[in-house]
């Protein structure tokens, strides 16, 4: 089923040469969009003047790195070959790599960022979710991954990000409250400092 769906998408890629540059570009550099969304998440949390929202915004990039750190040994343990090395004659738009395919690093990062941004602002989370699905599709389109690789990556990234947030939320909120009483306050909240009585 996984291979059949990959071949269907690969056939679609063969029939859409006008999409190659756009999809391959997004597959390679689309993570820049997630970086921009994380900045937007920080800005949104700052404007909401909520310690909980800012904790989620600060955690989002950290959760992404944590998810990527979890993914590396998993991928090495599974050791799945890339589709273009396992299936002869497929259209390959990806830069060839010897890294294992399952789970997809790009999908892990996209899933982690999406989960984190949902904690910050629902609309940003929805935008990130659409961007993550497009990223997952693009990685299969260029023949870098099977559909199962990207699906597993999205789920793993989201689970690690959310589980990590549950573990670090309290200490992170405590640190942010300290930060709001320091010169860092303008970076953490748009709420003006109240004068002491």
């Amino acid at each position: 089923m996984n291979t059949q769906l990959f071949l269907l998408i690969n056939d679609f890629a063969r029939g859409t040469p006008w999409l190659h540059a756009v999809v391959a570009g997004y597959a390679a550099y689309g993570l820049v969009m997630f970086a921009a969304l994380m900045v937007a998440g920080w800005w949104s949390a700052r404007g909401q003047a909520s310690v909980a929202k800012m904790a989620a915004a600060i955690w989002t990039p950290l959760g992404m790195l944590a998810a990527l750190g979890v993914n590396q040994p998993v991928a090495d343990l599974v050791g799945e070959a890339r589709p273009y090395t396992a299936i002869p004659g497929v259209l390959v738009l990806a830069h060839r790599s010897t890294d294992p395919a399952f789970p997809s690093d790009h999908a892990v990062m996209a899933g982690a960022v999406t989960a984190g941004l949902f904690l910050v602002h629902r609309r940003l989370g929805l935008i990130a979710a659409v961007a993550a699905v497009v990223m997952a599709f693009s990685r299969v389109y260029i023949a870098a991954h099977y559909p199962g690789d990207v699906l597993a990556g999205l789920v793993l990234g989201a689970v690690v990000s959310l589980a990590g947030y549950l573990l670090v939320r309290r200490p992170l909120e405590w640190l942010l409250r300290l930060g709001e009483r320091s010169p860092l306050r303008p970076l953490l909240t748009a709420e003006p400092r109240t004068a002491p009585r």
Side-chain angles (χ1 to χ4, degrees), residues 2-30:
N2 199 27
T3 303
Q4 289 174 340
L5 186 53
F6 168 80
L7 290 172
L8 280 174
I9 295 171
N10 198 254
D11 285 343
F12 175 72
R14 285 184 194 278
T16 53
W18 49 276
L19 268 179
H20 289 182
V22 173
V23 178
Y26 186 73
Y29 305 111

Side-chain angles (χ1 to χ4, degrees), residues 6 9-10 13 23 27 81-87 90-97 101 136-146 149:
F6 168 80
I9 295 171
N10 198 254
V23 178
R82 300 275 180 167
Y84 49 72
T85 63
I87 306 172
V90 297
L91 173 67
V92 181
L93 302 173
H95 295 292
R96 292 181 182 267
S97 169
F137 175 79
S138 72
R139 298 298 294 173
V140 179
Y141 184 96
I142 66 171
H145 292 283
Y146 294 101
D149 303 340

Side-chain angles (χ1 to χ4, degrees), residues 74-166:
V74 172
D76 288 340
L77 183 65
V78 176
E80 180 187 79
R82 300 275 180 167
Y84 49 72
T85 63
I87 306 172
V90 297
L91 173 67
V92 181
L93 302 173
H95 295 292
R96 292 181 182 267
S97 169
T98 57
D99 293 343
F102 179 94
S104 160
D105 284 339
H106 283 71
V108 165
M109 290 188 279
V113 171
T114 298
L117 288 176
F118 263 114
L119 298 172
V120 178
H121 194 284
R122 186 166 178 252
R123 186 174 298 169
L124 279 175
L126 289 171
I127 294 169
V130 172
V133 169
V134 176
M135 172 61 73
F137 175 79
S138 72
R139 298 298 294 173
V140 179
Y141 184 96
I142 66 171
H145 292 283
Y146 294 101
D149 303 340
V150 294
L151 179 60
L154 291 173
V155 172
L156 178 62
V159 167
V160 171
S161 179
L162 293 174
Y165 180 69
L166 291 175

Side-chain angles (χ1 to χ4, degrees), residues 180-197:
E180 286 184 357
R181 296 198 291 269
S182 77
L184 294 174
R185 182 180 177 85
L187 296 174
L188 302 176
T189 180
E191 188 176 48
R193 191 190 297 269
T194 54
R197 294 182 179 178

